C-alpha cells in the first residue's frame, strides 16, 4: 500500500499542500521547525485518527486560519491510496464552528467522499512510525504503553478497536455506578449489569492483546538476537495483564511470574468464556474495595507490558544502547506482523531516527526502508545518507510549510531545487 497524493488544508504550518508522493523512498529535508515532522504527523493522523504528539486535536489546526472571529475553521487531510488491488481516497476533517452555545468542535471521516464513522477509517492506511520519543515507551507510564498497543492493534483489528471503545465507555459508567453505590448504598443491581458488560468486552481485549504481544514478541526476539546483537543478547517482551488485584511496581521482577503465566494462558485459551469467568470472579473478589474507592481496580485498563534483556528489566537495568535496540526490534517486528496479517507492507514513517543510530543498526533499518513499498524519512542533514541511498530516493526540501521537489540531474551535483510542488 502506498499514498499517491496527499492534500492538507490548514494543518499545522501547512496552509495548503498538494503533494504527489512516489512509491519507494522519500526523504524530507530542511532546517528545523519547517514542517518535516508535521508532514509525517499528518499521515500518521490519517492512518490512526490520533496524533503522536498533540494531546489535543485542536493543536493541529493552523494558527493563521484559527482566528477567534472566524465563524468556521476547517482542517482537511486527504490521501489517495493505492493498494495491491484498488484505489481509494480517505479524508479527515476537523471542524471548529461558532455556535450560539459556544465553540463546537467535531471530526468527520470520509472514504471515497462518503461519510463513515471515524473508526471505519482505521485499516485503510497502515503505518509504522519511528520517532526518537519511542524510547520513552520503555521508561514512561503504563498508559503510554497501552496507547501503543491500542494504536498498533487498531490498524489491523477492527473488532479490537470497536470492543475497546465500548469497554472504555462501560468502564466509565461502572465507576460512576460504584461511586453512587458508595454514596447512597443503592444501585448495586446497576453495577452488576455493567460488570457483566465489562467482563464480556474486557475478556475479548485481554485475549487479543495477549495474542498480539505474543506474536510481536516472537518476531522482536528473533530480529534482536539474529540481526541487532549478533546473537549476543536475548530480549523478552512480556504482556502483564491486570487480571489480579496486586499490580507490579516498576522494576520489580520478583512478582512477575503470575503475570507471565496469565499472559500465556490468555494467548492460548481458545474459549473466551473461560477468560470471562476468571475476570468475573476476580472482579467479585475485589468488589468491596472497588465500591470503597469508586474505581474498577482490575481489567485491561490497568494492563502493562515490559522488556527484559538477558533476564533483567530493560527499563531498570538496560543501557541506552540496549533500550534503543529493543525499540528498533519492536518496530521492525511491527512491520513484519502487519505484513503477515494484511498481506501488505505498511508505510514507514521515520522522523530523525537514522541520525542517532550507529552504522550497523542504521544499515539494518535502511534495509527495511528500502524493502518497503513506501517510506518517508525526515532529516535535517541529508549528507549522512550514502550516495547510493540518496540516488534511489526522492528528496523533498521543506521550508516554512512549503515543499520543493528536488530533481537532481547526473551532471549537476548541486541538487538545485526546482518545480515548486505547492502553491498558495
Ligand atoms: N497549529 C499550528 N499552526 C501553525 N504552525 C504550527 C502549528 N503547530 C506547530 N506549528 C509550527 O510548525 C513548526 C514545526 O514544524 P515541525 O514539523 O515540527 O518542524 P521540523 O521541520 O523541524 O520537523 C514550528 O515552527 C511550529 O511553530
Ligand atoms: Mg522534526
Amino acid at each position: 500500500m502506498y499514498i499517491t497524493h496527499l492534500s492538507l488544508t490548514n494543518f499545522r504550518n501547512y496552509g495548503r499542500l498538494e503533494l504527489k508522493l512516489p512509491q519507494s523512498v522519500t526523504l524530507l529535508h530542511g532546517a528545523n521547525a519547517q514542517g518535516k515532522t508535521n508532514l509525517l504527523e499528518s499521515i500518521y493522523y490519517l492512518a490512526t485518527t490520533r496524533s503522536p504528539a498533540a494531546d489535543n486535536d485542536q493543536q493541529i489546526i493552523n494558527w493563521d486560519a484559527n482566528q477567534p472571529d472566524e465563524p468556521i475553521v476547517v482542517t482537511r487531510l486527504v490521501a489517495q491510496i493505492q493498494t495491491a488491488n484498488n484505489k481509494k481516497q480517505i479524508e479527515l476533517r476537523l471542524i471548529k464552528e461558532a455556535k450560539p452555545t459556544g465553540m463546537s468542535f467535531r471530526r468527520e471521516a470520509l472514504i471515497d467522499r462518503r461519510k463513515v464513522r471515524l473508526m471505519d477509517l482505521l485499516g485503510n492506511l497502515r503505518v509504522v512510525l519511528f520517532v526518537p520519543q519511542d524510547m520513552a515507551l520503555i521508561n514512561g507510564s503504563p498508559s503510554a504503553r497501552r496507547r501503543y498497543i491500542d494504536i498498533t492493534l487498531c490498524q489491523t483489528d477492527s473488532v479490537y478497536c470497536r470492543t475497546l471503545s465500548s469497554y472504555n465507555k462501560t468502564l466509565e459508567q461502572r465507576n460512576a455506578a460504584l461511586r453512587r453505590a458508595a454514596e447512597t448504598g443503592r444501585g448495586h443491581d446497576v453495577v452488576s449489569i455493567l460488570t457483566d458488560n465489562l467482563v464480556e468486552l474486557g475478556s475479548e481485549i485481554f485475549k487479543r492483546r495477549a495474542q498480539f504481544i505474543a506474536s510481536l514478541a516472537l518476531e522482536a526476539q528473533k530480529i534482536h538476537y539474529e540481526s541487532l546483537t549478533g546473537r549476543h543478547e536475548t530480549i523478552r517482551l512480556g504482556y502483564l495483564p491486570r487480571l489480579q488485584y496486586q499490580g507490579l511496581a516498576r522494576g520489580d521482577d520478583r512478582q512477575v511470574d503470575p503475570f507471565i503465566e496469565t499472559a500465556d494462558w490468555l494467548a492460548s485459551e481458545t474459549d473466551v468464556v473461560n477468560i470471562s469467568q476468571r475476570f468475573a470472579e476476580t472482579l467479585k473478589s475485589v468488589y468491596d474495595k472497588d465500591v470503597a474507592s469508586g474505581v474498577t481496580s482490575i481489567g485491561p485498563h490497568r494492563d502493562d507490558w515490559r522488556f527484559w534483556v538477558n533476564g533483567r528489566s530493560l527499563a531498570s537495568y538496560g543501557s541506552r544502547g540496549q533500550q534503543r535496540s529493543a525499540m528498533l526490534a519492536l518496530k521492525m517486528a511491527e512491520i513484519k506482523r502487519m505484513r503477515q496479517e494484511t498481506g501488505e507492507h505498511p508505510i514507514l514513517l521515520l522522523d530523525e531516527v537514522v541520525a542517532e543510530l550507529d552504522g550497523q543498526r542504521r544499515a539494518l533499518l535502511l534495509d527495511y526502508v528500502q524493502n518497503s513499498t513506501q517510506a518517508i524519512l525526515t532529516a535535517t542533514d541529508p549528507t549522512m545518507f550514502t550516495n547510493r541511498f540518496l540516488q534511489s530516493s526522492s528528496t523533498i526540501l521543506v521550508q516554512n510549510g512549503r515543499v520543493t521537489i528536488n530533481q537532481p540531474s547526473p551532471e549537476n551535483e548541486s541538487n538545485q531545487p526546482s518545480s515548486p510542488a505547492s502553491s498558495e
Side-chain angles (χ1 to χ4, degrees), residues 52-123:
D55 15 274
N56 175 345
D57 276 329
Q58 303 201 27
Q59 287 174 9
I60 69 176
I61 303 175
N62 177 258
W63 296 324
D64 295 332
N66 195 8
Q67 298 296 332
D69 53 346
E70 279 297 331
I72 182 159
V73 186
V74 182
T75 293
R76 273 180 83 215
L77 302 87
V78 188
Q80 313 285 344
I81 299 162
Q82 177 75 54
T83 64
N85 40 29
N86 77 2
K87 272 190 181 124
K88 60 187 140 188
Q89 172 178 307
I90 63 167
E91 175 170 351
L92 245 179
R93 297 178 185 157
L94 284 78
I95 302 160
K96 210 177 142 188
E97 201 171 355
K99 294 260 171 79
T101 47
M103 211 42 105
S104 90
F105 179 78
R106 66 177 194 278
R107 300 197 292 172
E108 286 177 0
L110 295 90
I111 298 177
D112 290 331
R113 297 191 172 81
R114 303 227 327 235
K115 273 195 200 166
V116 295
R117 289 175 311 173
L118 211 58
M119 218 180 278
D120 295 332
L121 215 54
L122 299 169

Side-chain angles (χ1 to χ4, degrees), residues 261-281:
E261 273 162 33
T262 307
D264 289 345
W265 170 69
L266 287 171
S268 62
E269 178 58 66
T270 46
D271 192 350
V272 77
V273 171
N274 293 330
I275 300 173
S276 297
Q277 204 173 1
R278 177 153 159 201
F279 189 16
E281 275 163 17

